[in-house]
């Protein structure tokens, strides 16, 4: 296993180019500079590099480039698109270690999780590469008079706006299907974690993607992001981020009738019934909130625990949480790294007082290790009531809130009693209960006796304030493509004759 000093030495070599040149935008295949902002590492707040601060003019140039490149890319033979996307996956795999090191340093996510992130990103490209040749396929819907034939066509240049929590994986998840469908892209990554988006865009060009097909514009949400959502030439916005940002984007895109796809926040329940395999439920509940620093939209941030087993389960959980290793993200032993920045650190830690004031118990954590960097000790609240803020609001950190329930009906009432509905996790060995509960849970994605194991052809997305639309398999193409129906008359059916 590689150790921390080795990782730091390798990271330093990869960072040199960013220190020297900063992160530039990539528009129509050209590096574009201009005004800049600084990006800092959550590990020690040190300066990583400067980043191009994309302006309205930069977005306009990128959108025009994407528009100009669109007819050529949309007409490119799908097998050729497939070949290029596989080549992108090859190059991601070749640079997987570099991408993982940069991602840890830029986001504070631990190596043990990020070491696989690039490979997951490559898998996204391979999966959608293989679907590209069939993306246009439709249906034949005959009537006695007509043969209706449907087909799908890329919608045009699209904007992709991504958050800071797992930026590389999320960018690949949104951009790969857009390119496979034949769309061209303007990507606006999160201002807090811009490193790997630049590497990804470079890889795409090296793989042979024509200029203008993939444009990268860095910058702030209210400036570059807003301009992208308002641009006339951009036909759709694929957005991953906070619920309130999604609402803003919907307003910003209204004048240009933007098609929007939103993957937003969550306050996801893990419901543990007393007949469950409690050892596995414990492992999964801990993993699904304390991995990825809890900065994970699908995290199980509410533990709904049946009162008959609550004392024991909570005690075991608190004991395990107390032993989770907080440390440098590039130390392979680390389980939790620093939070993304000071603002997010302040938000997450503010819930320690909110929990106390509202009358919950802090069974583990509720403290910070101190020193440089935005480190927070993993925290576990117990004795919470469903209406408390810690039980309602997305904290987006390594913070779990336990709420007790009596029976199935109350479990469902609590689980569904929040504004969000992204994922749900159900632990029970009663088959009919599993079927009932999963049917009634208001969530887009539910795992029964499992943690979050993704299968790329399945629909990914949330209900209520957690999102609009689905990704994955054909659902991604439904968003990035327009349906067309052509009706062919099969003979001389009756046509009404007016003015005869
Ligand atoms: P955010 O909404 O603050 O920012 C996301 C992106 O939107 C950034 O690139 C930002 O610059 C941009 N942005 C901000 N304001 C904008 C505006 N007015 N117009 C256009 N773009 C704008 O989110 P974040 O803090 O970066 O990410 C954390 C959030 O993302 C959490 O709520 C989390 O649950 C959510 N998330 C959801 C999923 C999912 O699949 N459902 C996945 C990951 C993260």
């Amino acid at each position: 296993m590689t150790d921390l000093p080795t990782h730091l030495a390798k990271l330093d070599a990869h960072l040199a180019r960013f220190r020297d040149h900063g992160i530039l935008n990539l528009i129509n295949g050209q590096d574009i500079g201009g005004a800049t902002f600084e990006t800092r590492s959550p590990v020690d707040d040190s300066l990583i590099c400067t980043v191009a601060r994309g302006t309205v003019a930069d977005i306009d140039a990128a959108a025009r480039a994407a528009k100009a490149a669109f007819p050529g890319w949309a007409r490119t033979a799908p097998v050729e698109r497939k070949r290029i996307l596989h080549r992108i996956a090859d190059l991601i795999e070749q640079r997987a270690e570099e991408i993982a090191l940069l991602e840890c340093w830029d986001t504070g996510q631990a190596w043990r999780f990020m070491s696989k992130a690039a490979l997951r990103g490559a898998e996204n490209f391979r999966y959608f590469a293989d679907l590209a040749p069939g993306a246009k396929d439709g249906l034949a819907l005959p009537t006695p008079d007509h043969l209706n034939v449907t087909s799908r066509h890329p919608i045009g240049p699209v904007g992709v706006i991504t958050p800071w929590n797992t930026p590389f994986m999320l960018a690949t998840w949104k951009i790969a299907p857009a390119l496979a469908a034949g769309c061209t892209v303007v990507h606006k990554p999160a201002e807090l974690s811009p490193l790997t988006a630049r590497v990804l865009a470079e890889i795409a060009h090296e793989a042979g993607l024509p200029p203008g097909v993939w444009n990268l514009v860095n910058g702030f949400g209210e400036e570059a992001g807003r301009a992208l959502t308002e641009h006339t030439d951009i036909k759709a916005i694929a957005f991953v981020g906070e619920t309130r940002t999604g609402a803003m984007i919907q307003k910003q895109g209204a004048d240009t009738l933007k098609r929007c796809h939103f993957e937003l926040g969550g306050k996801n329940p893990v419901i543990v019934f007393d007949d469950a395999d409690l050892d596995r439920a414990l492992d999964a509940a801990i993993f699904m909130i304390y991995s990825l620093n809890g900065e994970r939209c699908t995290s199980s941030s509410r533990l709904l625990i049946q009162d008959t087993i609550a004392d024991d389960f909570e005690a075991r959980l608190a004991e395990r949480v107390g032993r989770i290793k907080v440390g440098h993200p590039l130390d392979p032993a680390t389980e939790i790294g620093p939070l993304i920045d000071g603002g997010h650190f302040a938000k997450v830690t503010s819930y320690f007082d909110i929990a106390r004031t509202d009358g919950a118990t802090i069974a583990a954590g509720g403290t910070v290790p101190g020193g440089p960097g935005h480190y927070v000790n993993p925290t576990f609240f117990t004795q919470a009531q469903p209406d408390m803020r810690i039980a309602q609001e997305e904290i987006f950190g390594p913070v779990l809130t336990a709420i007790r329930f009596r029976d199935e009906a109350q479990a469902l009432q609590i689980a569904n009693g929040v504004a969000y509905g992204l994922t749900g996790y159900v632990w029970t060995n009663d088959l009919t209960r599993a079927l009932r509960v999963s049917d009634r849970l208001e969530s887009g994605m539910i795992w029964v006796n499992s943690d979050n194991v993704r299968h790329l052809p399945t629909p990914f997305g949330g209900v209520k304030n957690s999102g609009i639309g689905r990704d994955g398999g054909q659902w991604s193409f439904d968003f990035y493509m327009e349906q067309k129906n052509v009706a062919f008359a099969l003979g001389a059916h009756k046509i009404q004759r007016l003015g005869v």
Side-chain angles (χ1 to χ4, degrees):
M1 190 188 276
T2 318
D3 58 9
L4 176 59
T6 313
H7 275 164
L8 287 172
K10 286 181 175 175
L11 171 73
D12 196 56
H14 292 307
L15 283 175
R17 54 173 286 225
F18 291 110
R19 278 195 297 267
D20 292 347
H21 305 292
I23 296 179
L24 301 176
N25 294 331
L26 195 46
I27 299 172
N28 208 17
Q30 304 290 318
D31 284 334
I32 306 289
T36 59
F37 64 97
E38 292 182 343
T39 186
R40 294 182 171 273
S41 174
V43 177
D44 56 8
D45 234 0
S46 63
L47 176 68
I48 301 178
C49 65
T50 59
V51 186
R53 179 176 172 168
T55 60
V56 174
D58 292 321
I59 288 290
D60 184 51
R64 284 166 186 267
K67 185 182 182 185
F70 174 68
W73 182 244
R75 276 199 304 270
T76 298
V79 286
E80 174 63 3
R81 290 207 295 266
K82 171 179 169 173
R83 194 190 63 75
I84 294 177
L85 296 192
H86 272 297
R87 178 83 185 121
I88 293 175
D90 293 342
L91 294 174
I92 290 173
E93 283 166 4
Q94 282 170 26
R95 290 172 71 175
E97 186 185 65
E98 171 193 353
I99 291 164
L101 290 167
L102 293 173
E103 192 89 323
C104 292
W105 189 243
D106 207 12
T107 63
Q109 298 284 8
W111 171 262
R112 67 166 60 222
F113 306 118
M114 287 304 103
S115 58
K116 303 280 185 313
L119 300 179
R120 223 341 268 291
E123 203 183 317
N124 288 339
F125 272 96
R126 291 204 192 288
Y127 173 72
F128 285 107
D130 288 339
L131 291 186
K136 191 176 179 183
D137 291 355
L139 299 169
L141 300 165
T143 69
D145 295 333
H146 287 83
L147 175 61
N148 291 278
V149 178
T150 73
S151 54
R152 289 190 298 203
H153 303 262
I155 189 170
V158 299
V160 173
I161 301 179
T162 46
W164 47 257
N165 59 325
T166 49
F168 186 82
M169 203 290 289
L170 286 170
T172 62
W173 177 236
K174 307 304 281 187
I175 295 174
L179 297 177
C183 295
T184 53
V185 171
V186 178
H187 180 207
K188 207 301 280 173
E191 50 271 47
L192 291 176
S193 57
L195 290 187
T196 54
R198 171 73 202 194
V199 174
L200 185 57
E202 286 172 4
I203 283 175
H205 285 79
E206 195 186 331
L209 212 60
V213 171
W214 179 329
N215 305 277
L216 171 73
V217 181
N218 287 281
F220 295 105
E222 306 74 36
E223 198 174 4
R226 184 183 183 109
L228 185 57
T229 61
E230 292 177 343
H231 202 286
T232 325
D233 292 336
I234 297 294
K235 298 301 168 199
I237 295 287
F239 170 75
V240 186
E242 280 191 32
T243 298
R244 66 169 186 271
T245 314
M248 278 195 282
I249 289 176
Q250 199 154 43
K251 287 191 198 119
Q252 293 162 195
D255 285 345
T256 51
L257 291 176
K258 251 355 146 250
R259 179 185 292 184
C260 290
H261 180 182
F262 292 144
E263 288 183 0
L264 310 175
K267 188 72 177 176
N268 311 300
V270 50
I271 309 176
V272 182
F273 289 95
D274 59 9
D275 66 344
D277 180 334
L278 296 179
D279 291 337
R280 285 180 64 75
L282 185 72
D283 286 344
I286 292 172
F287 176 73
M288 279 312 302
I289 182 64
Y290 299 110
S291 58
L292 300 178
N293 298 345
E295 295 166 323
R296 177 178 195 160
C297 57
T298 52
S299 74
S300 57
S301 50
R302 290 184 295 153
L303 168 68
L304 273 52
I305 179 83
Q306 193 150 23
D307 52 10
T308 43
I309 51 166
D311 285 344
D312 186 53
F313 197 86
E314 287 174 1
R316 288 173 70 196
L317 202 148
E319 199 258 321
R320 286 269 294 274
V321 173
R323 284 193 277 135
I324 288 176
K325 189 170 176 339
V326 180
H328 195 295
L330 288 174
D331 181 342
T334 291
E335 293 171 314
I336 290 185
L339 299 182
I340 185 76
D341 76 339
H344 191 54
F345 172 88
K347 176 189 158 178
V348 171
T349 53
S350 75
Y351 283 93
F352 301 165
D353 273 344
I354 292 170
R356 281 189 202 97
T357 309
D358 287 353
T361 301
I362 300 183
T367 52
V368 296
H374 310 295
Y375 290 92
V376 172
N377 287 322
T379 296
F380 181 38
F381 299 137
T382 55
Q383 308 296 329
Q385 296 303 315
D387 59 348
M388 287 181 183
R389 289 183 60 191
I390 54 169
Q392 290 287 329
E393 297 173 10
E394 184 186 47
I395 300 174
F396 215 57
V399 180
L400 176 63
T401 300
I403 310 159
R404 297 181 177 198
F405 67 85
R406 245 182 350 268
D407 53 20
E408 186 182 312
Q410 193 186 23
L412 273 167
Q413 191 184 26
I414 298 170
N416 291 338
V418 294
Y420 298 102
L422 189 59
T423 63
Y425 305 89
V426 183
W427 286 87
T428 179
N429 276 324
D430 178 336
L431 175 62
T432 52
R433 173 155 65 196
L435 292 167
R436 259 191 325 271
V437 171
S438 53
D439 187 56
R440 291 175 193 172
L441 262 184
E442 294 168 0
S443 310
M445 297 169 282
I446 294 161
W447 279 266
V448 178
N449 296 331
S450 177
D451 52 346
N452 180 320
V453 180
R454 288 276 295 123
H455 179 47
L456 297 185
T458 60
F460 184 100
V463 302
K464 293 164 44 176
N465 284 3
S466 290
I468 299 176
R470 294 291 178 275
D471 266 324
Q474 299 301 320
W475 285 275
S476 296
F477 289 154
D478 281 344
F479 176 71
Y480 288 120
M481 302 182 87
E482 294 280 23
Q483 292 276 353
K484 181 186 285 187
N485 185 62
V486 183
F488 297 92
L490 295 174
H493 66 283
K494 184 171 161 44
I495 299 177
Q496 288 196 35
R497 301 182 69 216
L498 306 184
V500 179

